Amino acid sequence: MNILSVASEVFPLVKTGGLADVVGALPAALLPHGIRTRTLVPGYPAVLHKLKKRKAVGGIGNLFGHPATVLAAELDGLDLLVLDQPVLYDRDGGPYLDPTGRDYPDNFRRFAALSLAAAEIAGDDVVAGWKPDIVHVHDWQAALTPVYMRFGSARNMPTVLTIHNIAFQGQFGASIFPELSLPPEAFSMQFVEYYGDVGFLKGGLQTATAITTVSPSYAHEILTPEFGMGMEGLLASRAADLTGIVNGIDVDTWNPETDPHIARNYGPTKIKQRAANREALEERFGLDKSFGPIFCVISRLTWQKGMDLLAEVADDVVARGGKLVVLGSGDRALEGALMAAASRHRGRIGMVTGYDEPLSHLMQAGADAILIPSRFEPCGLTQLYGLRYGCVPIVARTGGLTDTVIDANEAALSARVATGFQFHPVNADGLRLAIRRAMRAYSEPKVWARLQNQGMKSDVSWAKSAERYASLYSGLLAKG
């Protein structure tokens, strides 16, 4: 079985969040099921720079007024197709934002082009001698693919749309519609029209054969007004086609026994060797070398991620003998609030703005617990990395966090199955109480060691989830 995966980012080429990790890891997990994946991504400068050995395998003569080349390359086991159209993708900023941090004004065109190219690869002889059996698209940036396919030669090919975060929908003014190379009837409720605007994700949800999201709990949550972000009615009408499949992680990249980014490797049977990573983490963030748990945060600094709650409880963490390290960037006000907390508590709170992949590994290996107070979280990956590294997750009870962390209540502790701490309601008091629970557990070394060991034994790989995707694909093909 051949799958064309379509996404705006893929690790290790380009990454702004968990989407890239998922798109980069799933193909290898599907191989044992006889499923080969080719991943189509835009030809950003960062992508072309890393793919030294690439060759042209096809072309599109007119993609929104300009020719485009389809390049093929391989990297770290990934079979890649790259849409090379410099006028859209050869830019100095990131995948979505210009160097000043603003959205590119033509993002609608840049990602409509990705979708249209995917539809043409699926339906026409763009890549000589190769066509997929199924097209699997990710998030709004690729969500017009099944719409274009509906009006093209691949109209009968099954499609899967995965929602990684329904808060990001790709909604643009109706004035862009004439530029999308879609027939007039596509601007209707059955396709891309959304409250008078053009909705990329909305069009994909209307036309994809199957819809998945990245955890079972999130699949239920997005059917409600609280989490559906205005799409709950449409999703309810397609509930029979909606499946929640929890994400896994790349357990080769994220392996404390072999990780090159940490000070000392360790495993479940040598967990005391984590101490060297704690020391390295204290040095990296300028922390006092004192007893007490180190809590880490690796996150976009946004309201969704609950970073305002973190800022509110930071003083309490220090007052109770804990330390805090933060890696992330985002909302300027939240960045400022956390930097102010670091200034108030030098040696107890440390912060690095931006994103640093090697540092994120050291933080998981050296901190005692990771805080994830998200107001909503489709799946989340940092808690899975935490489990893998013995960095105990403290998570809001929402979405995939609910599905992947077993709360350390009395029953779970007695049964020795607990892996972390959940809290609800998702507010500052809830987070504060969860941190206090964790600190009580930390004061009992045997209890804390069991939490770490149980987490490290958790299966956070793609194995089970890949099996579910394989079953979904097979079912779609069986339906004809």
Side-chain angles (χ1 to χ4, degrees):
M1 188 189 307
N2 291 313
I3 305 296
L4 175 63
S5 175
V6 189
S8 58
E9 53 188 87
V10 58
F11 181 82
L13 290 173
V14 59
K15 172 180 173 177
T16 66
L19 167 65
D21 289 320
V22 173
V23 174
L26 184 55
L30 290 169
L31 272 176
H33 300 278
I35 298 170
R36 300 190 63 85
T37 305
R38 302 191 87 169
T39 303
L40 176 68
V41 293
Y44 311 118
V47 170
L48 297 176
H49 176 72
K50 292 177 183 177
L51 298 178
K52 303 299 184 184
K53 295 182 179 180
R54 57 184 191 261
K55 63 178 181 179
V57 292
I60 300 171
N62 183 3
L63 189 62
F64 297 156
H66 299 275
T69 304
V70 178
L71 308 173
E74 292 188 7
L75 181 71
D76 294 346
L78 284 170
D79 186 352
L80 296 159
L81 296 174
V82 179
L83 181 61
D84 185 19
Q85 192 185 49
V87 70
L88 292 180
Y89 304 122
D90 186 9
R91 307 200 176 171
D92 292 334
Y96 319 116
L97 305 178
D98 68 19
T100 70
R102 297 177 180 175
D103 286 338
Y104 291 114
D106 62 344
N107 270 346
F108 74 90
R109 188 181 299 111
R110 299 171 73 233
F111 296 111
L114 177 67
S115 296
L116 179 55
E120 296 205 10
I121 290 170
D124 299 322
D125 195 25
V126 173
V127 178
W130 186 85
K131 283 188 181 181
D133 300 298
I134 292 174
V135 177
H136 187 163
V137 305
H138 298 268
D139 268 355
W140 75 263
Q141 295 92 342
L144 282 189
T145 303
V147 179
Y148 284 117
M149 290 172 65
R150 182 69 65 89
F151 293 102
S153 56
R155 64 182 59 88
N156 295 319
M157 185 178 293
T159 54
V160 178
L161 167 59
T162 294
I163 306 165
H164 294 263
N165 189 337
I166 203 167
F168 302 103
Q169 300 180 356
Q171 187 171 345
F172 302 93
S175 61
I176 74 160
F177 181 77
E179 297 189 52
L180 297 181
S181 299
L182 284 167
E185 58 264 36
F187 191 69
S188 65
M189 289 182 62
Q190 288 70 39
F191 296 102
V192 304
E193 189 273 330
Y194 187 57
Y195 293 103
D197 288 340
V198 173
F200 280 42
L201 183 62
K202 190 264 187 178
L205 293 176
Q206 286 280 30
T207 53
T209 314
I211 302 165
T212 71
T213 192
V214 289
S215 72
S217 288
Y218 193 60
H220 293 298
E221 288 176 350
I222 60 177
L223 297 176
T224 69
E226 182 179 4
F227 294 100
M229 303 293 173
M231 295 285 187
E232 61 274 5
L234 169 55
L235 287 165
S237 72
R238 300 219 54 197
D241 302 313
L242 173 63
T243 306
I245 302 176
V246 72
N247 285 338
I249 64 172
D250 184 334
V251 293
D252 293 324
T253 298
W254 289 91
N255 183 355
E257 296 185 270
T258 59
D259 193 332
H261 302 305
I262 65 179
R264 186 168 183 180
N265 296 119
Y266 63 95
T269 62
K270 297 180 179 179
I271 201 161
K272 289 184 179 179
Q273 295 179 356
R274 283 186 98 248
N277 297 299
R278 178 188 171 101
E279 292 174 5
L281 187 64
E282 288 172 332
E283 184 175 343
R284 176 66 176 81
F285 281 91
L287 300 182
D288 299 337
K289 296 189 184 307
S290 58
F291 181 77
I294 300 176
F295 299 92
C296 75
V297 172
I298 305 165
S299 177
R300 286 183 289 112
L301 304 182
T302 63
W303 178 88
Q304 180 216 322
K305 297 293 185 178
M307 291 298 105
D308 55 317
L309 309 181
L310 177 69
E312 194 170 338
V313 305
D315 293 335
D316 193 57
V317 170
V318 174
R320 292 181 174 274
K323 292 179 280 192
L324 175 66
V325 292
V326 179
L327 171 63
S329 61
D331 183 278
R332 294 295 174 85
L334 293 176
E335 282 186 22
L338 292 168
M339 290 176 70
S343 295
R344 288 195 303 273
H345 301 288
R346 294 187 186 279
R348 306 294 295 181
I349 297 179
M351 182 172 178
V352 171
T353 56
Y355 186 71
D356 184 324
E357 183 80 10
L359 179 57
S360 72
H361 286 240
L362 178 62
M363 291 171 72
Q364 295 280 14
D368 298 292
I370 182 165
L371 299 174
I372 310 172
S374 302
R375 287 183 167 87
F376 60 95
E377 192 63 69
C379 179
L381 295 178
T382 53
Q383 84 279 11
L384 302 181
Y385 302 144
L387 292 170
R388 179 85 164 141
Y389 279 61
C391 186
V392 177
I394 301 172
V395 304
R397 190 176 298 144
T398 186
L401 303 176
T402 305
D403 295 331
T404 54
V405 177
I406 301 173
D407 182 65
N409 55 54
E410 288 298 323
L413 285 170
S414 296
R416 299 194 175 193
V417 296
T419 59
F421 299 87
Q422 295 185 7
F423 68 92
H424 191 83
V426 186
N427 56 30
D429 285 338
L431 175 58
R432 189 178 289 112
L433 290 172
I435 290 171
R436 292 177 186 177
R437 289 175 61 207
M439 295 184 83
R440 284 197 297 271
Y442 184 81
S443 69
E444 301 180 54
K446 289 185 179 179
V447 172
W448 194 259
R450 282 201 298 270
L451 284 171
Q452 289 178 301
N453 276 290
Q454 192 61 39
M456 294 181 78
K457 290 192 296 184
S458 300
D459 183 2
V460 294
S461 74
W462 272 103
K464 292 180 182 177
S465 299
E467 186 175 338
R468 293 198 64 192
Y469 275 114
S471 177
L472 173 67
Y473 295 154
S474 297
L476 293 176
L477 290 180
K479 290 179 182 178

